Amino acid sequence: MTSPKRNKAKIVNGPGGYILQDVPHLIDYLPDLPTYPNPLQDNPAYSVVKQYFVDADDSVPEKIVVHKDGPRGIHFRRAGPRQKVYFDSDEVHACIVTCGGLCPGLNTVIREIVSSLSCMYSVNRILGIDGGYRGFYAKNTIPLDSKVVNDIHKRGGTILGTSRGGHDTAKIVDSILDRGINQVYIIGGDGTQRGASVIFEEIRRRGLKVAVVGIPKTIDNDIPVIDRSFGFDTAVEEAQRAINAAHVEAESNENGIGFVKLMGRYSGFIAMYATLASRDVDCCLIPESPFYLEGEGGLLEFIERRLKENGHMVIVLAEGAGQDLMSKRMESNTLEDASGNKLLKDVGLWLSQSIKDHFKKNKMVMNLKYIDPTYMIRAVPSNASDNVYCSLLAQSAVHGAMAGYTGYTSGLVNGRQTYIPYYRITEKQNHVVITDRMWARLLSSTNQPSFLGPKDIPEEKKELPVTPLPDGIVDIPPVTKEITK
């Protein structure tokens, strides 16, 4: 799959620096489409809800912490049902596809898309695409209805199957056209959403009345803009089981080390939140925060000190951390998977062996137990929190497609469901900001050093800025922060 060109942004400007980064609509290129009353107005479950339909001008701010004199900033279109829809229920032929790696909640999203289409909008024709993008032209489809999906949220994985790569835009759109599909729901990570963006552009170029909707999925929580991705809460909860086991092993042995490797190719959110939730972790290593092994201030010195203090310790490692250190000592790896992701070497095994070698070299007693729950974490069913979130994402996606919106991703921004243009979802990856408060909270919880390399630590003293005090308050001498090796 070639990299898509950035979608032409649809921007609406308003007073006070208001900016709406809007999503495409079918009438942008099919201006004469008829509209229909929303079936929800006659649905007994929804007709009693006051102000149920979303106002056309409702939007959600990307940032809620602003200066009182600053601009209103960037907003996204608020998700939810509209009074008018652009699809008659009898004409809708929807399909659902899941792509990329597994994630808790995939089946819940599938179930809720089917339930929302059938129960809210009386849609009867829904297909599941078997095996990811290549399933559009290489595999059979799976007819979906409420009975088929009734209990699937209780299972891990995806009933539709998934795969990486296999994206051929022309073949996919030809298949959509040949099957008479006019709503496409694509569940996947940033690579999958880039593919969805290309499909949408080809559909718009051909002038087809087809809504293309994305639901963001990544267990690493590395998709930008949105508050979090579904499955993340479950992953953190499951990671606790591994950390608890590591803590028991460490406590039960002389100079015991419980070593847990978690998912996190480029972003260490699972490791960070699991560490904060556990309170038993002594050291958390993530891709965003560099560390080194030997010498003063290195990881090995810290491990020795913590074992002398407590007699045991727990280390949590994200799979992408320390890859640079391992590459310097081992043959460089340039292989990629079908999605274009670099295949990482097992830094957990390498680092645990490095720790063992260090203690053996120094003739010190140490018992290390290595735990890798990677695929166990992503294969479980979603927990209660993620189940609710998956339901909201799916319902919002369906409401938007029925209202004629297309070329967008359904996502949570500042606690509100929104429609986000594809280019915002695919522009970058979300990373842990190690100068942010959340990472500071982790460091204070584990009491670990920052592990900055000697070259990264400035020698000079740095004075913190002093905020002027109001009249009548006694001034405090300025604090000087000295950063040393």
Side-chain angles (χ1 to χ4, degrees):
M1 182 183 72
T2 56
S3 297
K5 295 181 179 178
R6 179 186 171 105
N7 293 347
K8 185 178 180 181
K10 185 178 179 182
I11 304 296
V12 178
N13 294 297
Y18 172 89
I19 300 172
L20 173 64
Q21 291 188 343
D22 207 356
V23 297
H25 196 280
L26 291 173
I27 60 174
D28 293 344
Y29 60 94
L30 298 172
D32 299 323
L33 289 179
T35 61
Y36 310 90
N38 194 320
L40 289 177
Q41 66 185 17
D42 300 318
N43 188 315
Y46 296 95
S47 59
V48 297
V49 182
K50 295 182 179 180
Q51 297 179 340
Y52 181 74
F53 294 112
V54 174
D55 190 275
D57 294 328
D58 283 359
S59 62
V60 178
E62 180 178 11
K63 295 182 179 179
I64 56 174
V65 179
V66 296
H67 193 273
K68 64 177 182 179
D69 298 324
R72 294 176 62 187
I74 294 173
H75 288 61
F76 300 109
R77 186 168 291 279
R78 184 185 175 192
R82 268 61 179 175
Q83 286 186 317
K84 297 291 183 181
V85 295
Y86 283 78
F87 288 94
D88 181 73
S89 297
D90 293 334
E91 75 170 310
V92 174
H93 190 191
C95 75
I96 307 169
V97 62
T98 54
C99 305
L102 295 183
C103 180
L106 280 170
N107 279 333
T108 306
V109 174
I110 295 168
R111 182 188 190 278
E112 291 308 313
I113 291 175
V114 174
S115 297
S116 298
L117 284 168
S118 59
C119 298
M120 293 183 186
Y121 290 99
S122 302
V123 172
N124 297 317
R125 294 186 297 166
I126 309 169
L127 289 177
I129 305 299
D130 185 10
Y133 275 136
R134 62 169 55 93
F136 276 100
Y137 52 85
K139 291 194 175 184
N140 295 326
T141 57
I142 303 171
L144 299 175
D145 58 31
S146 296
K147 290 183 179 179
V148 172
V149 302
N150 185 51
D151 292 325
I152 65 173
H153 62 292
K154 299 175 183 178
R155 304 180 227 160
T158 165
I159 63 164
L160 301 181
T162 185
S163 65
R164 296 187 183 275
H167 189 283
D168 187 315
T169 306
K171 286 185 178 181
I172 291 172
V173 177
D174 287 343
S175 176
I176 291 170
L177 184 60
D178 292 342
R179 297 178 189 274
I181 293 170
N182 50 23
Q183 289 186 9
V184 183
Y185 297 92
I186 301 174
I187 310 168
D190 55 349
T192 300
Q193 301 304 314
R194 279 192 292 271
S197 177
V198 176
I199 293 170
F200 159 69
E201 290 294 345
E202 177 63 15
I203 285 173
R204 180 162 64 175
R205 187 187 69 80
R206 298 191 190 187
L208 305 176
K209 185 186 177 183
V210 179
V212 181
V213 182
I215 293 96
K217 175 227 58 146
T218 168
I219 200 169
D220 291 341
N221 199 38
D222 58 1
I223 290 181
V225 181
I226 61 176
D227 293 354
R228 72 180 191 278
S229 54
F230 74 83
F232 177 70
D233 278 359
T234 305
V236 172
E237 185 175 302
E238 285 299 308
Q240 296 301 291
R241 302 179 189 274
I243 294 174
N244 290 341
H247 186 240
V248 170
E249 288 285 351
E251 274 192 320
S252 303
N253 288 278
E254 181 183 2
N255 282 342
I257 297 178
F259 195 114
V260 181
K261 188 189 81 171
L262 299 175
M263 299 187 78
R265 180 181 296 272
Y266 303 112
S267 304
F269 287 102
I270 293 179
M272 180 175 72
Y273 277 84
T275 295
L276 282 167
S278 170
R279 318 303 293 187
D280 288 329
V281 178
D282 298 273
C283 183
C284 178
L285 304 171
I286 61 173
E288 297 89 339
S289 183
F291 65 94
Y292 60 105
L293 295 181
E294 291 92 357
E296 183 181 356
L299 176 62
L300 296 175
E301 181 192 68
F302 172 69
I303 293 174
E304 284 187 28
R305 185 170 70 250
R306 187 54 59 91
L307 289 178
K308 289 177 182 177
E309 293 170 351
N310 297 339
H312 67 275
M313 72 177 299
V314 176
I315 300 173
V316 169
L317 171 78
E319 62 182 327
Q323 290 287 327
D324 56 332
L325 295 177
M326 189 169 53
S327 297
K328 292 176 183 178
R329 304 192 182 194
M330 302 173 66
E331 184 180 349
S332 179
N333 184 10
T334 58
L335 299 178
E336 295 180 345
D337 63 18
S339 297
N341 299 315
K342 183 178 179 181
L343 290 174
L344 301 181
K345 293 182 178 179
D346 194 331
V347 68
L349 286 175
W350 172 80
L351 186 53
S352 60
Q353 188 60 49
S354 298
I355 295 171
K356 291 177 182 177
D357 292 343
H358 171 78
F359 277 83
K360 184 177 180 180
K361 179 181 176 182
N362 290 279
K363 298 180 180 179
M364 298 174 63
V365 176
M366 187 273 299
N367 291 282
L368 187 146
K369 299 297 186 290
Y370 177 60
I371 299 175
D372 183 356
T374 299
Y375 294 106
M376 295 174 62
I377 285 176
R378 74 178 197 173
V380 299
S382 53
N383 64 11
S385 173
D386 273 326
N387 267 334
V388 173
Y389 185 29
C390 289
S391 299
L392 296 178
L393 285 172
Q395 290 181 16
S396 297
V398 170
H399 289 319
M402 292 297 297
Y405 294 107
T406 181
Y408 68 89
T409 293
S410 172
L412 193 71
V413 178
N414 292 320
R416 294 286 186 176
Q417 294 294 323
T418 63
Y419 300 141
I420 306 166
Y422 279 137
Y423 67 84
R424 287 303 311 275
I425 291 295
T426 60
E427 65 185 357
K428 63 179 182 179
Q429 284 185 312
N430 195 24
H431 296 286
V432 174
V433 180
I434 61 173
T435 56
D436 200 5
R437 288 195 180 113
M438 189 59 75
W439 185 244
R441 294 181 183 114
L442 180 139
L443 294 179
S444 65
S445 169
T446 61
N447 198 27
Q448 71 185 66
S450 64
F451 293 120
L452 291 173
K455 295 181 180 179
D456 300 323
I457 303 177
E459 297 289 344
E460 72 277 3
K461 295 181 179 180
K462 291 188 176 182
E463 290 189 358
L464 297 176
V466 180
T467 304
L469 298 174
D471 294 339
I473 298 180
V474 179
D475 196 4
I476 302 173
V479 178
T480 301
K481 181 181 179 183
E482 184 176 354
I483 304 176
T484 59
K485 291 185 180 179

